Amino acid sequence: MAACAIRRGLLSTASKYNQHKCTHRILSAIDFSSGLESKRAPPLCSACGLSSFQQTRFMSSRNRPEGKILEPVGVFEALKQHGKYETGQLFLHSVFGYRGIVLFPWHARLYDRDVSPAAATDSKPESVAHGSKEVKGKMHTYYQVLIDTRDCPHISQRSQTEAVTFLANHDDSRALYAIPGLDYVSHEDILPYNSTEQVPIQHELFERFLMFNPSRNPPFTARDTLRAWQEKNHPWLELSDVHRETTENIRVTVIPFYMGMREAQNSHVYWWRYCIRLENLGNEVVQLRERHWRIFSLSGTLETVRGRGVVGKEPVLSREQPAFQYSSHVSLQAPSGHMWGTFCFERTDGSHFDVRIPPFSLESNKYDKAPPTGYPL
């Protein structure tokens, strides 16, 4: 799978790569036999640690059963340590390995509950888990991006094809709608590259939002439709808060999104989506077995939810496949609330341990949300 090859081949050398600003071709290797096999790597560049000839990423296909085909994708660019990537920047996701393109940046408040060992000694784990520990947020750059639909089948087991979800704008409808292939990516997850293709990303919104302009760098600029779409739909696109915490080398990142309010049986029901990413920062193989949520509503109710796995899966996190990402939804009969809890993981020896889910707020906007404009339902 793409994410496997990219993480092994690139993440460990990202800093060296940036310092020496070496240029390498990116090849897309389609393995029709299994989709997961690695290819013996050629000699590494002594300057940056990347392959002196190429770095490959691996995908699979059911269309043709024979052989492996290498297809050029583009050329890596230097990572940006300062500043932000511009609209039209092509990139590979450093964890999940898909190709994408930046639409526009968001500035989010990152609440990171990870503390140094010295500070952890003085703090009580219970207070951290239940949200009584004050955590200051710092501004961090995230990007609204389009995912290349060709890569979606190859990341489906490790990450949902992220989608922006919203409520139908009908009084009698409780339906949720989604625009697939719109993800939110942290600045450090961007591995920038360039391409000579005029349509390097396959997504139905690509040519509606972007145009090829060879005189610019990057050579893809925003159309007026993208600017208008962003301005009109800012309320339901906005990313505001990100929460993160690590327990026993398992880092949990949560991003909540308010989706709007609906009336049901003479009461108001408020909806949120939350995206969760699980990352194994250690070398031990672990598997998620159970989830335990506690959901507090401003109306005074406290709900407890227990269940096997998440979204019907019990993902294994290993050094080769270190991350898993999914989204879910929650509703409250109040305009605000809180969520927190734990994930139960199992080690290879059969022992279990709990990983804290950082407490996060569910806050509603002061204005009603409408479905996105300029996009057919």
Side-chain angles (χ1 to χ4, degrees):
M1 187 165 67
C4 178
I6 284 183
R7 189 171 181 88
R8 288 200 306 267
L10 299 180
L11 291 189
S12 62
T13 58
S15 60
K16 293 181 181 179
Y17 158 71
N18 185 60
Q19 292 172 4
H20 296 279
K21 298 183 180 180
C22 295
T23 300
H24 299 272
R25 295 182 64 199
I26 308 170
L27 297 183
S28 173
I30 306 179
D31 181 352
F32 293 108
S33 58
S34 69
L36 298 177
E37 297 179 5
S38 299
K39 186 176 181 180
R40 181 175 298 174
L44 298 180
C45 171
S46 59
C48 68
L50 293 177
S51 163
S52 58
F53 171 66
Q54 64 194 31
Q55 271 298 320
T56 57
R57 56 197 302 268
F58 296 85
M59 300 187 297
S60 62
S61 173
R62 297 180 180 179
N63 297 330
R64 296 176 59 187
E66 73 282 357
K68 298 178 182 179
I69 298 177
L70 294 178
E71 297 177 348
V73 172
V75 178
F76 276 120
E77 297 178 338
L79 305 177
K80 280 196 174 183
Q81 301 293 343
H82 305 286
K84 63 180 183 295
Y85 296 105
E86 303 295 331
T87 295
Q89 176 64 62
L90 293 167
F91 71 92
L92 299 181
H93 195 293
S94 67
V95 176
F96 297 114
Y98 63 72
R99 289 166 286 183
I101 191 166
V102 171
L103 294 182
F104 44 80
W106 290 111
H107 296 291
R109 291 185 299 272
L110 173 62
Y111 296 93
D112 195 338
R113 305 179 75 83
D114 295 344
V115 293
S116 65
T121 304
D122 299 327
S123 64
K124 297 181 179 180
E126 294 80 11
S127 65
V128 173
H130 291 84
S132 59
K133 180 181 176 64
E134 181 180 356
V135 180
K136 294 183 179 180
K138 63 178 181 179
M139 299 310 295
H140 193 68
T141 301
Y142 278 73
Y143 300 94
Q144 189 93 61
V145 306
L146 289 183
I147 300 175
D148 195 312
T149 57
R150 293 170 294 185
D151 292 348
C152 291
H154 314 293
I155 64 174
S156 61
Q157 295 303 311
R158 309 307 303 174
S159 173
Q160 291 176 338
T161 304
E162 269 305 298
V164 170
T165 53
F166 53 94
L167 297 174
N169 192 26
H170 306 291
D171 294 337
D172 58 347
S173 175
R174 300 178 184 178
L176 296 176
Y177 289 85
I179 303 176
L182 278 172
D183 201 359
Y184 295 84
V185 180
S186 178
H187 183 85
E188 62 267 21
D189 287 338
I190 298 285
L191 295 176
Y193 74 92
N194 60 55
S195 172
T196 58
E197 296 183 54
Q198 295 190 19
V199 186
I201 300 297
Q202 289 189 12
H203 190 287
E204 60 182 314
L205 293 178
F206 179 85
E207 293 186 271
R208 291 187 60 181
F209 285 168
L210 299 159
M211 72 177 88
F212 182 71
N213 185 347
S215 64
R216 297 288 299 275
N217 184 26
F220 303 98
T221 57
R223 295 182 184 270
D224 291 339
T225 51
L226 175 59
R227 300 187 186 96
W229 187 76
Q230 178 187 9
E231 181 179 353
K232 292 179 180 178
N233 300 299
H234 184 279
W236 60 268
L237 288 172
E238 183 179 8
L239 177 153
S240 57
D241 295 342
V242 179
H243 303 264
R244 189 163 67 193
E245 185 170 2
T246 302
T247 307
E248 297 197 35
N249 287 324
I250 304 300
R251 183 164 65 189
V252 180
T253 304
V254 184
I255 307 176
F257 299 88
Y258 176 59
M259 296 170 51
M261 179 270 292
R262 285 290 175 266
E263 292 187 10
Q265 299 178 347
N266 298 322
S267 65
H268 292 166
V269 179
Y270 299 83
W271 284 87
W272 289 264
R273 174 173 70 97
Y274 55 91
C275 177
I276 292 187
R277 180 161 131 184
L278 304 169
E279 293 178 87
N280 187 350
L281 305 181
N283 297 321
E284 192 174 30
V285 178
V286 297
Q287 184 170 12
L288 190 154
R289 291 301 190 186
E290 295 180 350
R291 68 187 185 279
H292 178 201
W293 282 106
R294 295 178 71 81
I295 307 168
F296 174 77
S297 171
L298 187 63
S299 62
T301 62
L302 179 62
E303 181 182 3
T304 298
V305 178
R306 289 183 180 271
R308 296 286 295 181
V310 290
V311 293
K313 298 180 180 181
E314 297 181 21
V316 175
L317 303 182
S318 63
R319 188 173 182 178
E320 292 72 27
Q321 299 285 355
F324 180 82
Q325 180 172 292
Y326 75 97
S327 291
S328 190
H329 300 86
V330 64
S331 62
L332 300 177
Q333 291 186 323
S336 64
H338 288 84
M339 289 181 66
W340 68 93
T342 56
F343 292 120
C344 179
F345 278 83
E346 182 179 0
R347 302 183 179 92
T348 54
D349 62 6
S351 61
H352 294 79
F353 64 99
D354 286 336
V355 171
R356 292 184 293 270
I357 304 171
F360 58 96
S361 299
L362 301 173
E363 300 292 343
S364 62
N365 292 358
K366 295 181 180 180
Y367 43 85
D368 291 335
K369 289 193 173 186
T373 59
Y375 190 88
L377 300 182

